[in-house]
Amino acid sequence: MELDSFAPNNGLEGDVNVKFLLTGGSLVKVRSNNWKKNRFFKLQEDFRTVFQETHKIIGRKNTFSIDDIDTVRQGRHSEGLEKYTDENMEDRCFSVIFKNRRKNLDLIASSREEAAYWTTGLEKVVRAMHNLSRQESSEHWIFNCMRKADKNHDNKMTLKEMKNFLRTINIEVNDNYAEMLFKKCDTSKSGTLEGSEIMHFYSLLTNREEINVIYSKYACTGGQMSAEDLLKFLVYEQRERSSMSDALRLIEKCEPDETAKENGHMTKDGFLMYLQQAEGMIFNMAHKDLYQDMSQPLNHYFISSSHNTYLMEDQLKGPSSTEAYIRALMKSCRCVELDCWDGENGEPVIYHGYTLTSKVLFKDVIKAIKEYAFKTSQYPVILSLENHCSLEQQKLMAHYLRSILGSALVTEPLGDKMPTHFPSPQDLKGRFLVKGKRMNKLDSFFSSSSALEEDSVSEEDEAANVKMPGEKPKSKSSKMKLARELSDIVIYCKSVHFVSFEHTRDTQAFYELSSFKESKALNLAKTSATAFICHNAEKLSRTYPAGSRTDSSNYNPVPLWNAGCQIVALNFQTPCKEMDLNQGQFLPNGLSGYILKPKFLRNRATEFDPNRLTRGPWMQKKKFHVMIISAQQLPKLNKEKKNSIVDPLVKVEIYGVPDDKAEKETHHINNNGFNPMWNESFEFTVFVPELALVRFMVEDYDTASHNDFIGQYTLPFTSIQNGYRHIHLCNKRGHVIPSASLFVHIMIMDLQ
């Protein structure tokens, strides 16, 4: 068997759109009004890379990986194409959006038909390669590395090529072991591996002893697992409420051997396939789709929220962009922030006031929000306005909100009488709420009293209060003029100044919400947690990062979720532990951006205090036993250095109430990122599981400095499945790393 025979069956052969990509063609690459160049693009035969023609710049890579593509957008739906192309080019334009910080690739095809070939073809290839990476990752990842190691493309492997291949897949072996492995496979004594010898080498390499042990324990029917054997495994090891039909369904889905499938059996290959499917993952499949009650009042949910959403980088001089809103919304963010200032030519703009951040037109942001708000989640989006505009530009803002968002914008209370509580996410599906200043009470909608055309309201500037030399921010106690037109579209989220919990309880309407800067919010969550929880059982609260975080770093959101705060706004553009926790918190419930708070955080009479635990319905004590068994195909961190191999270790971190916070780690394994094995067990006691998050992190051990991040995965404790489970690792930006996973055993037990 030759290396070429390992080529993956990606299901794309014969597809007319993909054939077009394999032939390639010329596209206009757009960077600015003055930089529009014809460039040749072509999908490579490996289906994993795209060739792009480059000029003049020596050393620049002329390919990009399909794995690096996040989405393909048809039309003028990037900031660059909107700025630098005419509307009549709409059906010829498309953009390739990358997962990392790489700039968008904005392109123009010669015709509408060609643009459709490119966008449809790329979408199919991205989807197919993603499915291969998730479902058959080990085989195809190794196959690609083997082909790359075969430098002269003769479908043979020399000892030198084999050593290079092992380093590529993150294994460091000494020369004696490499030579021994090579000789064991070189049965023809030819000095090269080919055909069946390569297959033997491949089987030695991909053998997973830990899987063999588990399989052999339950393969009690002629050396294979019968449906009855598999059912015993599902019930006793995975602790699932499975039936015979569930076992037969898994055999039908995962078993590659047709004879075994016909006999209702599962081979070892099928068993490994099952463990790599969604059914074998640590995340409970029942929580993947929408499963929570969405008919509760809005304030009964945690809401995925972004701070200074327009920023792509830091808070002082980085770019502002509609792209930042698109990325946040596509990650299910349901509350975005708009810092609005007077712009040139009477057009309001969004940027970080008193800084050197760039500006983006308010109307362009609203158009982008309208286009992308409900692509990932259908549940309501809150537009948090920081209004610093003159009356005339406020009126224009109100006009844009009404004209662009149309009937999706909530402009009056739902129902025909004065509401006493928030509508639900279900009631508000596909709708926009504006958070901002309002002149009068909401009951003015149900009275005949006359209204002012404008009025002065307290400004309470929530911006970071960062100023450039010579600039003076407005005082927090200053007054500002508010236009009637803008005031009238603030319905359920009227911004008010926080005085005290006693004051808000006596005087604040349910729809009046306060924003708390990080230090104030964390202090209240520590010193007055129960009062804060009772407040949030009736009203909404928003928190935001300190102004000193000019690097767009983030604060820990967990203490504020523990206090029932719904809108815990974070800098979405910054990869960090805090964003990992946010992604984990909002992973369940169909990526809706809404998570129903535990009942004890929704009760106005609750006595729960996360900082001083007492007996109550929140106390559901669990013993959490986790064994870190092994890892598979961890990425190389330094791809430029051939001999750079990672020394991985695994950390298990618990976040939740203070009594639950814990961290334990394995020992590190030298020079093996391909198939390191630990078999280390840890035990944790979790007191309030409904508020706990578990983060699995893999690091590259370093004796001289801080360990380097390799990958992580975070999920709610209540979404963890028992038994033998794989964990797909994510990179710093939350994207799944193809092929990289942990293999663990989980056991959660009740403690009374």
Side-chain angles (χ1 to χ4, degrees):
M1 181 174 284
E2 298 181 345
L3 282 176
D4 285 341
S5 67
F6 278 88
N9 177 19
N10 51 40
L12 298 174
E13 291 78 6
D15 184 276
V16 63
N17 297 289
V18 177
K19 279 185 176 178
F20 181 87
L21 268 61
L22 289 167
T23 302
S26 184
L27 296 165
V28 176
K29 185 175 177 179
V30 179
R31 286 186 181 168
S32 68
N33 272 329
N34 301 320
W35 202 103
K36 297 175 182 176
K37 310 279 187 181
N38 278 299
R39 294 288 186 262
F40 182 80
F41 291 82
K42 179 182 183 296
L43 178 66
Q44 304 288 67
E45 297 295 330
D46 63 2
F47 289 87
R48 291 189 178 274
T49 49
V50 175
F51 168 83
Q52 59 174 341
E53 178 186 13
T54 58
H55 290 181
K56 294 183 181 179
I57 301 177
I58 298 172
R60 172 174 285 184
K61 278 184 69 175
N62 61 354
T63 62
F64 59 84
S65 171
I66 290 292
D67 284 336
D68 289 338
I69 297 177
D70 188 17
T71 55
V72 181
R73 292 189 199 145
Q74 192 164 6
R76 297 167 60 248
H77 295 304
S78 74
E79 197 165 3
L81 288 175
E82 283 189 2
K83 279 185 180 179
Y84 308 128
T85 61
D86 296 329
E87 288 185 9
N88 59 14
M89 294 182 175
E90 177 74 30
D91 57 5
R92 293 166 49 203
C93 292
F94 67 96
S95 299
V96 178
I97 313 300
F98 295 98
K99 294 175 182 175
N100 47 33
R101 286 200 171 193
R102 180 174 178 164
K103 291 182 179 178
N104 299 345
L105 189 56
D106 291 330
L107 302 165
I108 307 173
S110 60
S111 67
R112 179 179 62 184
E113 291 73 23
E114 282 202 7
Y117 276 128
W118 280 105
T119 55
T120 305
L122 282 172
E123 285 171 350
K124 287 182 176 179
V125 174
V126 169
R127 189 161 53 248
M129 293 302 105
H130 175 75
N131 289 338
L132 284 177
S133 294
R134 293 296 294 268
Q135 296 177 11
E136 302 173 296
S137 56
S138 181
E139 178 182 341
H140 296 132
W141 183 73
I142 294 171
F143 150 74
N144 280 318
C145 293
M146 290 174 80
R147 290 189 68 183
K148 289 175 184 176
D150 181 23
K151 295 296 184 185
N152 58 1
H153 307 295
D154 63 354
N155 289 306
K156 300 176 183 178
M157 289 186 73
T158 65
L159 176 59
K160 182 179 179 181
E161 286 175 335
M162 190 189 79
K163 287 180 181 177
N164 288 335
F165 163 69
L166 291 173
R167 290 193 187 97
T168 300
I169 63 172
N170 228 343
I171 301 178
E172 181 63 55
V173 296
N174 63 43
D175 289 345
N176 290 335
Y177 178 78
E179 193 169 345
M180 181 195 73
L181 186 64
F182 188 84
K183 285 180 177 179
K184 185 175 183 178
C185 298
D186 183 19
T187 54
S188 65
K189 312 297 182 186
S190 63
T192 61
L193 302 184
E194 53 186 305
S196 61
E197 296 169 338
I198 290 176
M199 284 299 294
H200 185 205
F201 172 66
Y202 173 82
S203 64
L204 287 175
L205 198 63
T206 55
N207 180 53
R208 287 184 58 183
E209 187 59 35
E210 72 274 32
I211 302 296
N212 297 344
V213 170
I214 302 165
Y215 181 77
S216 61
K217 180 180 176 181
Y218 285 90
C220 302
T221 310
Q224 294 183 345
M225 272 188 178
S226 65
E228 291 82 0
D229 297 335
L230 178 58
L231 181 58
K232 286 179 183 177
F233 172 79
L234 295 175
V235 173
Y236 296 128
E237 293 288 357
Q238 307 296 72
R239 297 173 69 186
E240 296 178 4
R241 294 177 179 175
S242 298
S243 64
M244 183 59 72
S245 61
D246 295 319
L248 290 169
R249 179 183 58 80
L250 286 174
I251 290 172
E252 181 64 30
K253 177 179 179 180
C254 303
E255 179 52 53
D257 186 294
E258 289 301 325
T259 302
K261 187 185 291 186
E262 287 175 9
N263 293 328
H265 286 190
M266 179 175 275
T267 63
K268 187 169 65 178
D269 288 341
F271 183 64
L272 177 58
M273 180 68 76
Y274 149 69
L275 287 172
Q276 293 175 330
Q277 299 293 308
E279 291 89 344
M281 295 297 135
I282 192 171
F283 179 63
N284 188 344
M285 276 186 65
H287 292 185
K288 180 177 182 291
D289 297 323
L290 200 73
Y291 76 99
Q292 294 182 333
D293 177 11
M294 301 302 284
S295 64
Q296 301 270 338
L298 197 69
N299 63 309
H300 284 189
Y301 298 83
F302 297 123
I303 303 171
S304 182
S305 306
S306 164
H307 169 251
N308 287 358
T309 314
Y310 48 89
L311 292 176
M312 297 286 285
E313 296 173 10
D314 65 78
Q315 307 278 316
L316 292 178
K317 58 185 184 332
S320 303
S321 173
T322 56
E323 183 63 35
Y325 286 93
I326 294 171
R327 292 184 182 183
L329 292 166
M330 293 299 285
K331 290 179 180 177
S332 301
C333 178
R334 299 292 86 187
C335 179
V336 296
E337 186 174 12
L338 301 88
D339 279 358
C340 309
W341 300 78
D342 281 355
E344 296 178 357
N345 304 316
E347 287 286 347
V349 295
I350 292 175
Y351 86 113
H352 200 193
Y354 306 112
T355 72
L356 299 178
T357 57
S358 65
K359 300 173 182 177
V360 59
L361 289 176
F362 178 84
K363 65 179 178 182
D364 288 346
V365 167
I366 301 303
K367 287 177 183 177
I369 291 173
K370 167 70 171 176
E371 180 73 23
Y372 288 93
F374 305 113
K375 288 189 179 293
T376 303
S377 167
Q378 287 295 306
Y379 289 93
V381 171
I382 300 171
L383 308 180
S384 181
L385 298 186
E386 288 301 319
N387 174 20
H388 308 274
C389 291
S390 62
L391 287 172
E392 288 307 309
Q393 295 206 16
Q394 287 182 45
K395 293 175 184 178
L396 193 53
M397 286 167 56
H399 166 72
Y400 286 139
L401 287 165
R402 285 182 179 271
S403 61
I404 295 171
L405 301 182
S407 60
L409 179 67
V410 175
T411 56
E412 58 185 35
L414 305 189
D416 55 5
K417 60 182 180 180
M418 178 61 194
T420 57
H421 57 77
F422 287 100
S424 70
Q426 185 65 34
D427 295 332
L428 294 166
K429 279 182 78 171
R431 306 294 300 275
F432 295 96
L433 298 173
V434 174
K435 171 196 160 295
K437 295 294 179 183
R438 181 177 173 84
M439 293 179 189
N440 47 20
K441 295 282 187 181
L442 201 58
D443 54 12
S444 61
F445 276 94
F446 304 96
S447 67
S448 57
S449 58
S450 60
L452 299 171
E453 287 304 310
E454 62 187 65
D455 199 3
S456 294
V457 294
S458 173
E459 183 161 21
E460 292 158 35
D461 186 7
E462 293 163 11
N465 207 27
V466 176
K467 65 185 182 69
M468 300 306 294
E471 296 283 359
K472 184 179 180 182
K474 295 175 183 177
S475 166
K476 288 186 179 181
S477 59
S478 64
K479 296 284 187 178
M480 63 169 290
K481 290 285 188 181
L482 180 62
R484 168 80 181 182
E485 292 85 346
L486 197 58
S487 169
D488 278 356
I489 55 178
V490 174
I491 306 300
Y492 289 111
C493 300
K494 177 185 177 181
S495 297
V496 297
H497 179 62
F498 176 78
V499 177
S500 68
F501 291 127
E502 293 77 12
H503 179 269
T504 57
R505 185 177 60 244
D506 297 336
T507 64
Q508 193 171 311
F510 77 90
Y511 55 84
E512 294 179 318
L513 72 92
S514 299
S515 290
F516 304 85
K517 66 180 178 181
E518 169 188 337
S519 57
K520 176 72 170 177
L522 289 172
N523 182 58
L524 289 173
K526 185 176 181 180
T527 61
S528 307
T530 304
F532 212 171
I533 292 167
C534 293
H535 171 86
N536 290 322
E538 290 188 301
K539 303 172 179 66
L540 285 168
S541 289
R542 173 180 172 269
T543 68
Y544 58 95
S548 57
R549 295 185 182 274
T550 56
D551 58 351
S552 294
S553 59
N554 278 307
Y555 58 104
N556 182 4
V558 174
L560 301 172
W561 289 328
N562 291 345
C565 296
Q566 301 88 350
I567 305 175
V568 180
L570 299 175
N571 289 305
F572 265 53
Q573 73 273 33
T574 305
C576 57
K577 176 179 68 179
E578 292 77 17
M579 276 305 299
D580 294 342
L581 295 173
N582 193 79
Q583 184 174 8
Q585 172 81 313
F586 293 98
L587 180 64
N589 208 33
L591 295 177
S592 63
Y594 285 83
I595 296 293
L596 185 64
K597 296 195 292 185
K599 194 171 183 179
F600 55 83
L601 292 184
R602 310 194 310 259
N603 181 0
R604 293 166 51 186
T606 188
E607 296 179 357
F608 174 65
D609 184 339
N611 306 306
R612 286 174 286 278
L613 291 182
T614 57
R615 287 195 173 275
W618 47 84
M619 187 76 82
Q620 300 169 21
K621 206 170 169 185
K622 307 282 185 182
K623 179 69 73 177
F624 177 43
H625 180 279
V626 54
M627 174 186 277
I628 306 297
I629 301 172
S630 62
Q632 296 75 45
Q633 296 149 39
L634 302 176
K636 288 187 70 162
L637 298 183
N638 191 343
K639 294 181 181 179
E640 306 302 320
K641 289 181 67 176
K642 286 186 178 180
N643 295 327
S644 174
I645 308 293
V646 299
D647 304 323
L649 61 84
V650 181
K651 291 182 177 180
V652 183
E653 303 168 345
I654 313 288
Y655 295 88
V657 299
D659 283 357
D660 285 343
K661 192 171 188 332
E663 176 183 317
K664 295 182 181 180
E665 66 180 63
T666 67
H667 66 283
H668 72 276
I669 293 182
N670 290 323
N671 294 327
N672 188 350
F674 178 70
N675 58 358
M677 191 173 293
W678 292 273
N679 286 320
E680 280 194 52
S681 295
F682 305 123
E683 276 193 355
F684 303 86
T685 299
V686 179
F687 293 93
V688 188
E690 288 184 277
L691 291 177
L693 294 164
V694 181
R695 183 171 184 248
F696 296 87
M697 183 167 64
V698 185
E699 293 182 337
D700 180 16
Y701 177 75
D702 195 318
T703 55
S705 61
H706 291 298
N707 296 344
D708 293 320
F709 175 94
I710 295 177
Q712 68 84 34
Y713 185 80
T714 307
L715 77 167
F717 182 85
T718 52
S719 293
I720 291 177
Q721 296 200 99
N722 281 291
Y724 290 100
R725 303 292 175 182
H726 277 100
I727 300 171
H728 278 307
L729 295 174
C730 298
N731 63 18
K732 286 183 177 180
R733 294 199 167 272
H735 297 289
V736 172
I737 305 170
S739 311
S741 63
L742 288 175
F743 187 53
V744 301
H745 182 267
I746 301 293
M747 187 180 294
I748 299 173
M749 297 172 289
D750 292 331
L751 292 176
Q752 298 300 333

